[in-house]
Amino acid sequence: MSTNRLDDQRHLARAIELSREHMEEGAGGPFGAVIVRDGKVLAEGWNQVTSAKDPTAHAEVTAIRLACQAVGDHSLEGATLYTSCEPCPMCLASAYWARMGRIVYANTRQDAAEIGFDDSLIYDEIPKPVSERLIPMDHLPSLEAKAVFDAWADKPDKIAY
């Protein structure tokens, strides 16, 4: 995991360049990301929410997907995520799921909120009890769903993650 300040600045500058380039060509919002491990760029991503018509196509998630494909693994342990903006809750969760070693970002979530990308609703919703969230959630227990989980627990050839 590189902690060299010049490398950090260079990779972050690339994430920012991607954010501007793809924003200007209409791919989506002003966000870019680069994933690096052991000095090697694994993947680059940019916001494609509007062009791909995919609300999950944020720069960080796109870069994580491409990096995992590039290394042939669901884990990016030891990698650094360089992103033009502090990750939203979805992107931050994705970085944790990918076992990202480090995140380096430029703009803050407050900066993003000032231009219309306000994630405070999601940050506020997560700690609420399920019954108090804005999107109604109904727990409907299922014996079959539990049986699938039990089968997973007993599966000898599973790939744990």
Side-chain angles (χ1 to χ4, degrees), residues 70-94:
V71 301
D73 197 350
H74 63 273
S75 174
L76 297 173
E77 192 170 338
T80 299
L81 169 63
Y82 294 92
T83 178
S84 62
C85 187
E86 181 179 355
C88 76
M90 176 184 68
C91 294
L92 182 60
S94 298

Side-chain angles (χ1 to χ4, degrees), residues 40-109:
K40 179 180 182 229
V41 174
L42 301 180
E44 297 180 339
W46 50 89
N47 184 284
Q48 299 174 45
V49 169
T50 55
S51 59
K53 301 187 181 16
D54 178 354
T56 69
H58 289 202
E60 300 89 339
V61 170
T62 301
I64 288 168
R65 289 173 180 161
L66 291 171
C68 287
Q69 290 171 2
V71 301
D73 197 350
H74 63 273
S75 174
L76 297 173
E77 192 170 338
T80 299
L81 169 63
Y82 294 92
T83 178
S84 62
C85 187
E86 181 179 355
C88 76
M90 176 184 68
C91 294
L92 182 60
S94 298
Y96 275 100
W97 278 114
R99 295 172 180 82
M100 202 65 62
R102 189 167 161 249
I103 299 172
V104 177
Y105 64 93
N107 293 316
T108 66
R109 64 185 184 194

